[in-house]
Amino acid sequence: SPVPWLMACWRNAVASGDWAKTDEHFTQRVEAVTALLTQAADGSNLTLDPDLDTYYLMDAAMAGLPMVIEATSRLRDAGRAIALGLPASEAVLRGMTRSEALGDFGDERWAAGMPKVYGLHPELRGELRDEEARKKLHAFHELVGARKADDRQLAEAATVIEELQGVQSRTLDKLDLLLKQRQAGLSQQRAWVAAFEALALFTAAYLFYSFYLVTHGGLREVQKHLEAMTAGDLTTHPRPWGNDEAARLMGSLADMQH
């Protein structure tokens, strides 16, 4: 796992007084991953999803929660670095304030969308368990903001990051499930539409064929009667059926023979 290696680099950076450079180095990679995540969301058109449930699940998993997790991680790193002896310079404190503000913004965005999801799927409230993680997040912010906790206390409180990652993973799973259900529903709808179109085409073909038989049969009957009259046979009698033009013509021919 790369986590122990990253933590060792972080501790070495604090001990060597090069924490700022290492923090910037890691931040660049996180920002690159975040940009890739945003590009994936935009490319999938989920950011334009008209359904409230899947849209806000997507927004939480791919926008709000990554912002909260990254800001909280930066806040943890800075808090623990100070606890391990990093001078609380103006630049470090300004960075912590920025991280806390970004975390609060992401938390508000995340919290604003989830009630809309729960309004449509109340059962997800117990499955995602986001409210418990949010309470621990607020407690962690207060602990770091007080700047009185030691490294052990901060490390224990920072387990909220793992809980947030768990919420994000569960949210992605539910989003995937809802999208699969929607896909199945669209496939079924498409099958019904295809069946209806096939039935409509069959009905149209049947009606056109019936029209052809009636028209052709009537004209053929008139033709046979006229050919018989031309040959001098006046004993034939047309047998009209229906009330269309061909039937009325055969009726007129029959009247001429009386």
Side-chain angles (χ1 to χ4, degrees):
S1 173
V3 175
W5 175 79
L6 290 173
M7 290 302 296
C9 291
W10 173 73
R11 289 181 179 274
N12 292 336
V14 173
S16 63
D18 198 20
W19 179 84
K21 182 182 294 186
T22 304
D23 181 67
E24 180 181 359
H25 184 71
F26 288 164
T27 298
Q28 291 175 355
R29 280 151 177 75
V30 172
E31 289 177 350
V33 174
T34 302
L36 179 61
L37 184 63
T38 302
Q39 184 178 0
D42 291 340
S44 67
N45 286 331
L46 287 175
T47 52
L48 303 175
D49 195 342
D51 291 348
L52 289 179
D53 51 358
T54 50
Y55 173 80
Y56 283 106
L57 283 175
M58 177 280 305
D59 187 68
M62 306 187 75
L65 276 168
M67 185 186 304
V68 172
I69 292 171
E70 167 59 7
T72 305
S73 299
R74 290 177 62 86
L75 196 61
R76 173 203 61 190
D77 294 345
R80 293 187 64 185
I82 292 175
L84 290 172
L86 180 73
S89 64
E90 181 180 352
V92 173
L93 295 178
R94 185 167 57 249
M96 293 178 67
T97 302
R98 179 178 180 273
S99 296
E100 186 170 5
L102 286 175
D104 290 340
F105 175 74
D107 178 40
E108 291 175 1
R109 177 176 179 174
W110 172 32
M114 295 311 295
K116 298 179 177 63
V117 177
Y118 297 146
L120 297 171
H121 304 279
E123 71 281 1
L124 294 185
R125 187 186 299 272
E127 296 179 18
L128 297 180
R129 303 189 299 279
D130 61 302
E131 295 175 354
E132 300 174 10
R134 189 174 292 112
K135 291 179 181 178
K136 293 182 179 180
L137 173 66
H138 297 164
F140 176 73
H141 277 207
E142 293 178 2
L143 181 65
V144 176
R147 300 190 184 92
K148 295 181 180 179
D150 57 24
D151 182 60
R152 181 186 59 80
Q153 292 173 318
L154 290 172
E156 291 177 355
T159 55
V160 67
I161 297 175
E162 298 178 359
E163 295 193 27
L164 290 171
Q165 291 170 340
V167 173
Q168 183 187 27
S169 177
R170 293 191 293 272
T171 302
L172 284 171
D173 290 341
K174 294 303 177 183
L175 173 62
D176 185 59
L177 177 62
L178 289 178
L179 290 176
K180 287 182 178 179
Q181 291 176 351
R182 184 199 298 180
Q183 183 181 14
L186 290 174
S187 298
Q188 184 178 14
Q189 182 180 4
R190 186 165 56 248
W192 280 108
V193 170
F196 176 78
E197 290 179 348
L199 179 61
L201 289 174
F202 174 78
T203 303
Y206 171 77
L207 292 176
F208 275 114
Y209 184 65
S210 299
F211 176 76
Y212 165 77
L213 290 179
V214 171
T215 304
H216 179 73
L219 293 178
R220 179 59 182 162
E221 185 70 20
V222 172
Q223 179 184 1
K224 288 170 57 178
H225 188 63
L226 290 176
E227 290 174 350
M229 293 177 63
T230 302
D233 184 5
L234 301 177
T235 60
T236 61
H237 297 280
R239 299 184 301 276
W241 64 89
N243 194 32
D244 58 0
E245 291 81 358
R248 288 195 294 270
L249 178 59
M250 284 187 285
S252 298
L253 291 175
D255 293 339
M256 291 172 57
Q257 293 181 296
H258 295 291

